[in-house]
Amino acid sequence: MLAIGVDVGGTKVAAGVVDEHGRIIAKLKRSTPAASPPLTEQAIADVVTKLLDGYEVTAIGLGAAGFVDAARATMLFAPNLAWRDEPLKQRVEERLGRPVVVENDANASAWAEARFGAARGYRDVMLVAVGTGIGAAIIIGGELYRGRWGIAGEPGHVRVVPDGRLCGCGNRGCWEQYASGNALVAEAREFAQRTPKGAMRLLQLGGGVPEGISGPEITQAATEGDPAALRCFQTVGGWLGQGLADLAAVLDPACFVIGGGVSEAGELLLDPARAAFERALTGRGHRPFAEIRVAQLGEDAGIVGAADLAREAVPSPLASGRPAGPARLRRSVFPARLRARLTRRLPSLLSLLSPGGVAPFGLRAP
Ligand SMILES: [Zn+2]
């Protein structure tokens, strides 16, 4: 069963034909006429029509950057597109003459990573996309958690510093002001301004001025071992890990998938994030640490996830007209790495039950 997934971003519309193993077998891209909702919708319809020409497809899914309502039909607000309370599902269906399913793009990416990517086999997953800001999506018990109005999963705007840096949302001290790509760049420029001698390599890559330093230059310098660039990743990764520990206090996921542009720096970001996570996690020492992994599907995740969610939403021809329920991840074996980790920790967990053992957080030894 083939499905089409469309990833609608602020700059480009990318669409692909996706098989049931999450593989993209054909792909098209074009730029987004972001200022005009009808033109954006036409661009979506155009790429889908082209793909429909060559393939037998059962479902069409759109993943778009913005707040999608709980009915998955209306785009309430899209920061980088002109959609405001736009009935996106209806508008695109009118142009295509076929049903479509609309989903938030981070939700689509998280779904793809949990089904086919870095979090395959896990049913409690949080995707944290570290780009210019921070996007996120939550999967609980194998199902996407959307919240009452479809807007769940915006931890980038949790306040981590009282009266901290001003955020685009109007509040101060939001997490994404400390743990995003923008934060990384701000850190590097500030350092170069204050200590040009210590930031020689960064300045060289940035064309001699602090304002010339951006994400790719910082990653390159850090890869070369430049101490100033490494320090920037330590700082931002540290904030990231601290925030993940706070999220684990609320949701206790098995696996965090770190996506977004900054995740291309890989372990440069994830090493300090894991260290901070393990320092900050509540009840640490008496619970397993969640996996923190880098996303695997890259920029294709949105296409793959939107296609797969649409496929799950369309009643199967074999299901005798029974309406499809919410998409669920298939139950899989208890992940081997987690099992290994628990087994390693078993002696220390057992010691809690013995006289003189240290009582875990909130628990009493018998
Ligand atoms: Zn904010």
Side-chain angles (χ1 to χ4, degrees):
M1 285 218 303
L2 299 177
I4 290 180
V6 189
D7 183 7
V8 188
T11 56
K12 68 177 188 337
V13 177
V17 178
V18 182
D19 72 10
E20 64 255 47
H21 304 292
R23 287 181 298 232
I24 297 180
I25 56 178
K27 194 168 159 183
L28 282 176
K29 244 187 227 185
R30 52 162 298 177
S31 60
T32 310
S36 155
L39 288 179
T40 302
E41 284 143 17
Q42 191 56 49
I44 296 167
D46 287 348
V47 289
V48 172
T49 305
K50 276 207 186 97
L51 290 171
L52 282 172
D53 210 21
Y55 298 89
E56 192 64 45
V57 165
T58 55
I60 301 163
L62 308 182
F67 295 170
V68 178
D69 75 338
R72 292 193 282 161
T74 301
M75 181 59 83
L76 302 171
F77 172 70
N80 299 311
L81 294 154
W83 286 325
R84 303 288 182 268
D85 295 312
E86 181 77 3
L88 181 61
K89 175 181 164 69
Q90 185 198 333
R91 296 268 196 271
V92 176
E93 284 181 347
E94 280 164 7
R95 287 173 200 271
L96 285 172
R98 302 179 56 140
V100 303
V101 174
V102 177
E103 188 57 80
N104 165 270
D105 64 341
N107 282 356
S109 297
W111 187 256
E113 293 289 348
R115 284 271 282 132
F116 309 111
R120 201 170 46 235
Y122 291 106
R123 296 169 56 80
D124 298 285
V125 177
M126 186 147 191
L127 172 99
V128 176
V130 185
T132 50
I134 288 180
I138 303 162
I139 293 173
I140 298 177
E143 283 181 40
L144 271 171
Y145 178 76
R146 299 184 174 85
R148 169 62 182 87
W149 288 283
I151 301 161
E154 291 292 339
H157 300 285
V158 169
R159 187 186 316 220
V160 296
V161 178
D163 301 319
R165 293 178 192 153
L166 185 64
C167 180
C169 75
N171 290 337
R172 279 185 179 279
C174 296
W175 188 34
E176 72 171 33
Q177 294 306 313
Y178 298 85
S180 65
N182 279 353
L184 184 73
V185 171
E187 201 69 42
R189 289 181 184 174
E190 227 170 83
F191 182 75
Q193 210 117 45
R194 227 178 28 239
T195 325
K197 260 200 186 135
M200 259 154 56
R201 181 60 182 143
L202 281 169
L203 282 166
Q204 191 182 20
L205 290 167
V209 286
E211 298 71 44
I213 304 169
S214 61
E217 286 84 35
I218 305 167
T219 304
Q220 189 188 327
T223 309
E224 296 167 3
D226 176 64
L230 285 170
R231 222 197 51 154
C232 295
F233 274 106
Q234 285 286 339
T235 305
V236 171
W239 278 109
L240 180 63
Q242 163 78 53
L244 296 181
D246 294 339
L247 292 171
V250 181
L251 290 170
D252 189 27
C255 183
F256 287 102
V257 178
I258 311 300
V262 185
S263 74
E264 284 165 27
E267 296 305 310
L268 288 173
L269 179 72
L270 263 60
D271 264 350
R274 279 193 203 99
F277 177 77
E278 296 185 3
R279 273 198 309 276
L281 189 67
T282 185
R284 61 195 169 277
H286 308 292
R287 60 188 282 190
F289 291 120
E291 295 285 339
I292 300 175
R293 297 181 177 178
V294 73
Q296 268 177 12
L297 302 175
E299 60 169 15
D300 287 339
I303 295 176
V304 172
D308 200 65
L309 284 164
R311 185 167 24 224
E312 302 255 352
V314 170
S316 151
L318 302 175
S320 65
R322 191 172 52 90
R328 289 188 74 92
L329 291 172
R330 285 144 194 67
R331 194 170 287 279
S332 64
V333 291
F334 197 50
R337 286 181 69 180
L338 183 61
R339 200 168 51 224
R341 217 167 232 210
L342 276 170
T343 316
R344 262 203 322 276
R345 286 183 174 276
L346 202 56
S348 68
L349 288 169
L350 288 174
S351 77
L352 298 172
L353 300 172
S354 63
V358 184
F361 191 81
L363 292 175
R364 296 245 184 281

